[in-house]
Amino acid sequence: MTTILQVENLVTRFYTLDGVVYAVNGVSFNLQKGETLAIVGESGSGKSVTMMSILGLIPIPPGKIESGEAGLLLDDPPRDLLRLSPPELRRVRGGRIGFVFQDPISSLNPVLTIGEQITESLTKHLGLSREKAKAQTIKLLGYVGISDPELRYKNYPHQFSGGMRQRVMIAIAIACSPEIVIADEPTTALDVTIQAQIVELFQRLQKEMGMAIIWITHDLGVVAGIADRVLVMYGGRVAEVALVDDLYELPQHPYTVGLLGALPRLDATDTKRLVSIQGTPPDLLVPLNHCPFAKRCEYAFERCRAEIPALRPVGAGHRVACFYDLQKGKPRHD
Amino acid sequence: MQRYFISKLGQSVLLLFGVLLLVFVMVRITGDPAALMMPREASPEDVEAFREAMGFNRPLPLQFVDFLSGAIVGDFGNSLHFKTPAMPMVLARLPATVQLAGVGLLMAIVVGIPLGLVGGFTPGSLVDSVGRGLALLGQSIPNFWLALIMILFFAVRLGWFPSFGRDYWNSVIMPAFVLGLPTMGQIVRLTRSAVLEIRGEDFIRTANSKGLEPGTIYTKHVLRNVAIPLVSVIGVQFGYMLGGSIYIETIFAWPGIGQLLEQSIGWRDFPLVQAIAIFTSLVVLAINLFTDVAYAVIDPRIRYDT
Ligand SMILES: Nc1ncnc2c1ncn2[C@@H]1O[C@H](COP(=O)(O)OP(=O)(O)OP(=O)(O)O)[C@@H](O)[C@H]1O
Ligand SMILES: [Mg+2]
């Protein structure tokens, strides 16, 4: 295994009129070459802000990246994405790291042809001439499963269905053969049948192109099928990270247990009885000095309300930020 | 695109017919058009002779058919005041009005769009404050008041511009400025808010995620989208300026259609008023049609109605 991206202690805040939003509070994780890392967590847990911070895509102001590192380790010498000059960062965006966003309808420019929206990336990063870029774009469109790519090249976004637009977005993201593709809930806005097609497309592309994928989702059901590892986020922090099988078999964080419990089971006879986690997500407007999940946690004890738990190893590649040992049924000792 | 254009053309023709009908009815709704058009001191015999001559005693449908067939060839009868055909007189005034509205619109665009763009890209900056101030003034100052103040200051006191008429190259500056100021304000505001809105769109984030240069993002991704609302407002405003310059042409004694309208109302010259009303409507409709076409050229969602 080779680590290609190493994020350490990322802190991102938004300075809004309502006060400071503590969106991301010290997130660390790594990404291995060619793997699929799923990032799950409730709405507002900081999944998107984490990924957009890495590429400098959060709006500044109101956003501000307070501290952290995001090392591209394959570079020689390794470079920190958070400290690149704007032109250097632009070469990474789209060139080395592709991004697919949630809503394919609003994420494409309505007044430019989709061909144009793909070629501009190719001419910028690969320095292709216009004709070469066009030929390459047509190839890409076919590659992501769009029929009649020569004709479709000249079409505008509104002439495509939602699923087809997401294929276009994917073509944009993979156009320059990036090492990493970040997909921020790429199927949430689509019909269920289309969702499966998009998941399949990602899997095929990964097999053929070998890039690492960071897949942000709410949906633990999808995760089981595609991910190698899972990162669970809560309140702008990492709650748990593990290989996908370990996480489903032996979840170590009470929040992960809750999430898995909330998963509709295919074998369940009564699908209406969805368990959801009690309580509300933490208020990100106040800085916390204790475990963000303590208020909703049935295992919480004094220490959980007084200290922030650090990520600690609990198995091979398995780390959890919790003071309580679910297996032994008692608090952990340091 | 073709279907879009044909439907817009159809709408315009229908509207034009509506205008003709309205003008025809308005003159007759008040009762006796002959009494309306003749001077107050005219004798009953004169009025009767006039009614006979104008055909006002014939059945209404017949009158309307006559009116329509005249309208199609541009014949709206003779001006009562000048005793010559009304339409050519209107046309003779057209260049002055087009010049006034054109220069006014040009000023509004040349000042308004850059101010709005800079304001939208750097909200809160000095240029933005200037632009917003101008937008507020432009839309709140009464134009007749501004016209008088400008005449007093720039024409009488400083002598930079002639105070009336259309005799010198710079005669057009003051009336065009006064006419264009509200439009200028509107263009600043609209451009600014459109830039702000488009900059926050998801597709701009996508453009950033592709690593495009800021310059490319502004010109290619932002500006084309900003142009869409701008085109329609500029079209509407130009039509409004062409038809709505009565005060300004009167105050500056600008020999355009607005001034002719003001005079012909004073003369109770109904055929002339009619000709002006219909001609102005025609011009406004033509501009709107042109705007709709320009709109479709910029916005593919209209061009390809799938
Ligand atoms: N531009 C912004 N201004 C202010 N606050 C913001 C902004 N963008 C994000 N936030 C806040 O940051 C927090 C984390 O948001 P983020 O979008 O990362 O959540 P998420 O985990 O991606 O949720 P979802 O699953 O709904 O996409 C939220 O509380 C959100 O309100
Ligand atoms: Mg999100």
Side-chain angles (χ1 to χ4, degrees):
Chain A
M1 283 294 214
T2 344
T3 305
I4 53 175
L5 176 69
Q6 178 90 42
V7 175
E8 290 293 342
N9 246 314
L10 179 69
V11 176
T12 303
R13 294 177 188 151
F14 293 94
Y15 293 83
T16 67
L17 292 179
D18 298 332
V20 184
V21 181
Y22 295 85
V24 174
N25 307 298
V27 165
S28 305
F29 67 92
N30 58 58
L31 183 70
Q32 306 297 315
K33 195 167 196 293
E35 76 166 337
T36 299
L37 174 67
I39 306 210
V40 297
E42 291 173 302
S43 195
S45 56
K47 306 182 294 292
S48 303
V49 173
T50 300
M51 291 310 146
M52 296 211 272
S53 298
I54 293 172
L55 285 182
L57 290 175
I58 56 162
I60 300 176
K64 182 161 185 250
I65 298 172
E66 303 283 352
S67 61
E69 282 167 34
L72 274 181
L73 300 190
L74 288 193
D75 289 12
D76 188 27
R79 293 189 300 165
D80 182 355
L81 285 175
L82 304 186
R83 282 166 190 78
L84 291 183
S85 68
E88 284 174 320
L89 186 59
R90 286 198 289 272
R91 276 197 289 279
V92 173
R93 292 177 185 159
R96 315 236 343 244
I97 304 181
F99 224 117
V100 178
F101 295 98
Q102 174 174 343
D103 186 353
I105 296 183
S106 58
S107 295
L108 289 168
N109 191 330
V111 302
L112 297 178
T113 63
I114 59 129
E116 179 60 39
Q117 296 186 58
I118 300 173
T119 45
E120 62 182 355
S121 207
L122 294 168
T123 46
K124 151 94 197 181
H125 294 290
L126 306 183
L128 297 185
S129 66
R130 282 202 67 85
E131 306 84 73
K132 282 229 179 80
K134 179 173 177 182
Q136 179 67 15
T137 299
I138 290 171
K139 220 187 275 173
L140 273 166
L141 287 174
Y143 191 45
V144 297
I146 288 171
S147 46
D148 289 333
E150 290 89 1
L151 289 177
R152 292 308 230 162
Y153 180 92
K154 294 190 216 77
N155 283 173
Y156 290 88
H158 73 278
Q159 295 167 296
F160 287 75
S161 69
M164 285 298 149
R165 282 187 228 195
Q166 197 59 302
R167 285 175 193 267
V168 172
M169 283 300 295
I170 293 168
I172 291 175
I174 64 161
C176 305
S177 309
E179 295 129 70
I180 303 172
V181 170
I182 301 174
D184 190 348
E185 305 191 32
T187 59
T188 309
L190 307 174
D191 295 343
V192 184
T193 48
I194 312 287
Q195 286 184 8
Q197 293 173 10
I198 296 294
V199 170
E200 261 168 46
L201 174 62
F202 267 104
Q203 287 178 311
R204 195 192 92 214
L205 294 176
Q206 189 176 31
K207 201 185 296 162
E208 292 171 7
M209 302 177 66
M211 72 275 201
I213 296 178
I214 297 179
W215 186 290
I216 301 177
T217 179
H218 287 241
D219 184 354
L220 273 171
V222 174
V223 171
I226 57 160
D228 298 304
R229 288 193 303 138
V230 185
L231 184 89
V232 181
M233 284 193 66
Y234 189 84
R237 294 170 194 279
V238 177
E240 182 166 8
V241 56
L243 291 172
V244 66
D245 293 340
D246 294 347
L247 190 94
Y248 280 77
E249 263 162 47
L250 265 188
Q252 296 281 340
H253 197 289
Y255 174 65
T256 315
V257 175
L259 273 184
L260 289 169
L263 184 66
R265 299 188 67 95
L266 286 176
D267 51 354
T269 42
D270 187 0
T271 45
K272 267 178 258 159
R273 270 222 328 269
L274 273 180
V275 196
S276 65
I277 305 168
Q278 292 294 309
T280 50
D283 180 3
L284 296 174
L285 285 170
V286 286
L288 287 188
N289 50 10
H290 57 79
C291 173
F293 191 58
K295 281 211 181 86
R296 298 165 78 181
C297 180
E298 51 180 310
Y299 306 101
F301 57 106
E302 317 82 72
R303 194 178 177 193
C304 306
R305 288 182 273 272
E307 255 183 77
I308 297 173
L311 268 181
R312 68 183 73 206
V314 290
H318 195 160
R319 292 170 5 123
V320 66
C322 182
F323 294 127
Y324 193 82
D325 190 331
L326 281 176
Q327 256 59 53
K328 299 206 178 93
K330 62 181 172 69
R332 289 175 204 279
H333 302 288
D334 287 295
Chain B
M1 177 71 174
Q2 248 163 354
R3 223 175 53 208
Y4 170 79
F5 182 73
I6 288 170
S7 91
K8 289 289 173 193
L9 191 66
Q11 278 174 28
S12 305
V13 171
L14 228 75
L15 271 170
L16 188 63
F17 182 80
V19 167
L20 288 170
L21 188 65
L22 205 67
V23 167
F24 178 82
V25 170
M26 292 270 260
V27 177
R28 285 157 183 85
I29 206 164
T30 42
D32 184 359
L36 208 62
M37 294 183 190
M38 288 300 279
R40 239 173 297 230
E41 58 278 6
S43 67
E45 295 79 48
D46 285 352
V47 174
E48 185 53 45
F50 179 75
R51 182 178 299 131
E52 194 72 37
M54 299 292 283
F56 289 147
N57 48 1
R58 294 180 307 148
L60 275 181
L62 210 64
Q63 288 187 44
F64 187 59
V65 169
D66 267 5
F67 176 75
L68 266 190
S69 50
I72 286 167
V73 295
D75 177 8
F76 292 92
N78 284 351
S79 154
L80 301 180
H81 185 79
F82 295 100
K83 316 278 188 269
T84 55
M87 209 38 140
M89 297 189 50
V90 180
L91 290 178
R93 298 290 192 113
L94 184 63
T97 290
V98 169
Q99 185 197 10
L100 182 60
V103 173
L105 185 70
L106 201 69
M107 286 181 175
I109 289 174
V110 165
V111 177
I113 292 183
L115 271 181
L117 287 178
V118 175
F121 283 118
T122 57
S125 66
L126 184 70
V127 178
D128 185 33
S129 308
V130 170
R132 291 167 70 184
L134 186 80
L136 190 69
L137 285 181
Q139 300 202 282
S140 51
I141 294 183
N143 55 11
F144 56 88
W145 178 83
L146 180 66
L148 292 176
I149 294 295
M150 287 188 66
I151 289 173
L152 266 180
F153 196 75
F154 292 107
V156 178
R157 180 82 52 90
L158 296 174
W160 289 357
F161 302 104
S163 62
F164 67 90
R166 191 189 172 218
D167 301 325
Y168 306 96
W169 69 269
N170 60 353
S171 296
V172 72
I173 304 286
M174 282 205 301
F177 178 79
V178 175
L179 185 63
L181 190 64
T183 301
M184 195 184 290
Q186 201 172 0
I187 289 179
V188 171
R189 263 201 354 202
L190 185 86
T191 310
R192 179 181 188 275
S193 64
V195 168
L196 278 175
E197 190 192 315
I198 302 295
R199 281 179 65 199
E201 292 281 355
D202 285 351
F203 59 79
I204 297 301
R205 191 181 58 191
T206 306
N208 271 309
S209 82
K210 288 190 259 188
L212 302 182
E213 305 296 324
T216 313
I217 294 180
Y218 292 157
T219 49
K220 197 157 136 189
H221 289 265
V222 178
L223 290 190
R224 289 232 11 205
N225 282 285
V226 169
I228 294 171
L230 264 183
V231 161
S232 64
V233 160
I234 287 174
V236 168
Q237 288 296 314
F238 190 51
Y240 169 80
M241 286 162 82
L242 278 173
S245 52
I246 303 179
Y247 294 126
I248 291 163
E249 288 192 1
T250 305
I251 294 174
F252 286 98
W254 186 261
I257 295 176
Q259 190 199 40
L260 183 65
L261 179 62
E262 189 260 346
Q263 291 166 342
S264 55
I265 291 172
W267 297 324
R268 300 164 75 89
D269 191 342
F270 260 81
L272 196 50
V273 173
Q274 264 181 26
I276 293 174
I278 289 164
F279 180 74
T280 309
S281 307
L282 186 70
V283 169
V284 170
L285 284 173
I287 289 171
N288 284 350
L289 192 63
F290 182 76
T291 307
D292 284 332
V293 172
Y295 203 70
V297 168
I298 301 179
D299 192 343
R301 283 163 295 189
I302 292 175
R303 191 162 60 219
Y304 302 93
D305 38 3
T306 39

